[in-house]
Amino acid sequence: MTLRVLAAMSGGVDSAVAAARAAEAGHDVTGVHMALSANPQSYRTGARGCCTVEDSRDARRAADVIGIPFYVWDMAERFASDVVEDFVAEYAAGRTPNPCLRCNEKIKFAALLDRALALGFDAVCTGHYAQVSDGVLSRGVDPGKDQSYVLAVCTREQLRHALFPLGDTTKAEIRAEAARRDLLVADKPDSHDICFIADGDTRGFLASRLGTAKGPIVDESGEVVGEHEGAYGFTVGQRKGLRIGTPAPDGKPRYVLDISPVTNTVRVGPKEALDVTEIVADRIVGLDGPLPELCSVQLRAHGEVYECVPTLADGVLRLRLRQAARGVAPGQAAVLYAGDLVLGSATIVAASRVAAVS
C-alpha cells in the first residue's frame, strides 16, 4: 500500500537512509527538517548536534539526491517550551530528565505528527533504530544502536502512524548503504550530548537559567562535607565534580545519593548505597492491560536490563527487581519489555533498597 509519508530529516545519515528507503518502497515521501532553535548558532555547530544550520543543509542535499520534495518547518517555539524549559524545570526539581525522550514525545510524535496528519500525510518516517508493527514497538536488531527506549513514551496510536525503516539493519550496514546511494552524510559522525547545550557544559547551562544558590553537601550521617552552587547541577550516581574537601573515612570515592531541592542539599555516600531493588513510577504510557508476572525493565538509554515483578494500581507502577540496580535517578524512564517487545513506559518517582525478589 502506498502511503503519503513525511520523513523527518535531521541532517544525519540515519534519517537520510530512512527517507531513501521509504521512497524506494514506493511511498509518496516528502522530507522535512525541523528548525528547533530561533538562533541555530546557539546550538551545536559542526557535526555533533542535530539542530544546526549545517544539518539543515545536509538534509536538503540528501533530499535532492533521493529526489523528494524538502521543506524546513519552524518548531523552535514548541521545542523551547516542551523540551528545553522542561529540561530546566526537571533539574530544578531534583530530577534527571532525558531530553531526547521528551523530544520524541512532544516534538516528533506530537507536534510534527499532528501537523503531518492535518496536512493529509499517513505516517511520519524517522531514522530511529527500532521496529514497529500495528502500533507495537520492539527493539532494533542492532543492540548497540537500539532506540526503543527513547520511543517508549509514544502511544500506540502515534506508533500506528510511524515508520522506522532502519530497525532491521545495523549501523555499519546503514553507512555502507548511504555510500552506495551517494549520500554525502555517509561518514558524518553521530550526534552526541545534548543538542541545545552548545558547549556541552550542562551545569553551566543550568546556572545561566537558574542562577547560583549555595548549599551543603552532606554525608550519610548528615555531616557537612562540602558546598555546592546549586543542587540542580547534580544527578544521582554522579561521582565527578563534587569538589568535596573532606575525604571519606575509608578513602573511597563518594557518589551523589539524592538531591533535595527544597533544602538545596546534596547527599553523598559510598557506591554501594546507590543500589536499589524497588522502583516507583508514574506518567504511565502503554501499560493499559494485564501485566506479566515477570518482565524486564531498562532504566536508561543503552543501559542494563533487569528482571522485575511489576504491579500497577491507581496510576502508580511498582517494580521489584530480582537484582539490584545502581544509580537510579528520579525523572528517568523505566521501560518494560517482554523479550524484545516494548510493553510500555513510566517516569521514575522514587527508588529504594528492599529485599530483592527471588
Side-chain angles (χ1 to χ4, degrees):
M1 179 176 63
T2 299
L3 302 175
R4 286 196 67 203
V5 174
L6 188 73
M9 302 183 70
S10 67
V13 61
D14 297 329
S15 60
V17 173
R21 285 188 170 188
E24 190 173 68
H27 299 307
D28 179 8
V29 180
T30 297
V32 63
H33 178 80
M34 292 180 289
L36 300 179
S37 172
N39 175 19
Q41 295 303 329
S42 68
Y43 287 4
R44 287 200 182 281
T45 57
R48 295 196 63 193
C50 59
C51 312
T52 67
V53 171
E54 295 97 323
D55 291 319
S56 176
R57 293 169 182 161
D58 287 343
R60 183 178 296 277
R61 282 191 288 264
D64 288 343
V65 171
I66 298 166
I68 58 175
F70 178 82
Y71 300 92
V72 175
W73 286 1
D74 183 0
M75 295 281 190
E77 185 174 342
R78 184 73 181 265
F79 184 80
S81 62
D82 289 350
V83 179
V84 180
E85 291 178 16
D86 174 83
F87 178 85
V88 175
E90 286 291 282
Y91 267 105
R95 296 185 289 266
T96 303
N98 184 320
C100 294
L101 186 148
R102 196 66 62 232
C103 184
N104 285 328
E105 178 188 16
K106 299 293 188 179
I107 305 301
K108 292 177 182 173
F109 292 98
L112 181 67
L113 178 59
D114 288 349
R115 187 183 296 187
L117 295 176
L119 291 172
F121 288 92
D122 300 303
V124 165
C125 166
T126 73
H128 287 102
Y129 286 82
Q131 301 183 82
V132 66
S133 176
D134 192 27
V136 178
L137 184 67
S138 58
R139 292 189 184 277
V141 300
D142 187 338
K145 295 298 295 182
D146 170 54
Q147 291 172 296
S148 60
Y149 175 88
V150 294
L151 291 166
V153 288
C154 299
T155 67
R156 297 235 171 143
E157 184 57 30
Q158 290 171 327
L159 290 168
R160 286 189 180 95
H161 296 282
L163 294 179
F164 304 132
L166 310 189
D168 62 353
T169 316
T170 67
K171 180 72 179 212
E173 291 168 334
I174 290 302
R175 288 200 181 278
E177 181 177 333
R180 291 196 302 271
R181 292 180 182 274
D182 295 324
L183 295 169
L184 297 180
V185 290
D187 295 322
K188 185 175 180 178
D190 290 341
S191 58
H192 296 285
D193 302 322
I194 300 169
C195 69
F196 54 84
I197 300 181
D199 58 2
D201 180 8
T202 299
R203 185 179 293 181
F205 173 82
L206 291 169
S208 72
R209 298 297 188 96
L210 298 172
T212 58
K214 292 184 183 297
I217 299 175
V218 303
D219 63 16
E220 291 183 285
S221 69
E223 181 182 350
V224 176
V225 294
E227 186 180 68
H228 62 76
E229 297 185 347
Y232 56 75
F234 300 86
T235 188
V236 172
Q238 180 177 333
R239 173 187 172 186
K240 296 182 179 179
L242 299 183
R243 292 176 294 187
I244 298 174
T246 306
D250 59 7
K252 293 182 179 180
R254 285 185 279 205
Y255 298 76
V256 174
L257 302 182
D258 59 50
I259 301 142
S260 174
V262 174
T263 61
N264 196 28
T265 300
V266 175
R267 188 167 67 94
V268 298
K271 180 169 57 177
E272 295 75 19
L274 289 168
D275 289 351
V276 301
T277 51
E278 182 175 67
I279 294 169
V280 179
D282 61 10
R283 292 183 60 184
I284 295 161
V285 178
L287 300 174
D288 50 7
L291 295 179
E293 292 184 4
L294 185 67
C295 61
S296 60
V297 61
Q298 187 170 322
L299 302 172
R300 55 176 61 88
H302 308 297
E304 189 175 348
V305 174
Y306 301 87
E307 285 191 330
C308 67
V309 175
T311 57
L312 179 60
D314 300 323
V316 175
L317 177 69
R318 292 184 182 274
L319 305 173
R320 293 286 300 276
L321 307 185
R322 299 185 74 174
Q323 176 187 357
R326 180 165 287 176
V328 178
Q332 294 176 326
V335 178
L336 299 188
Y337 291 83
D340 288 339
L341 191 72
V342 174
L343 300 175
S345 71
T347 301
I348 298 169
V349 174
S352 60
R353 183 66 183 262
V354 297
V357 295
S358 58

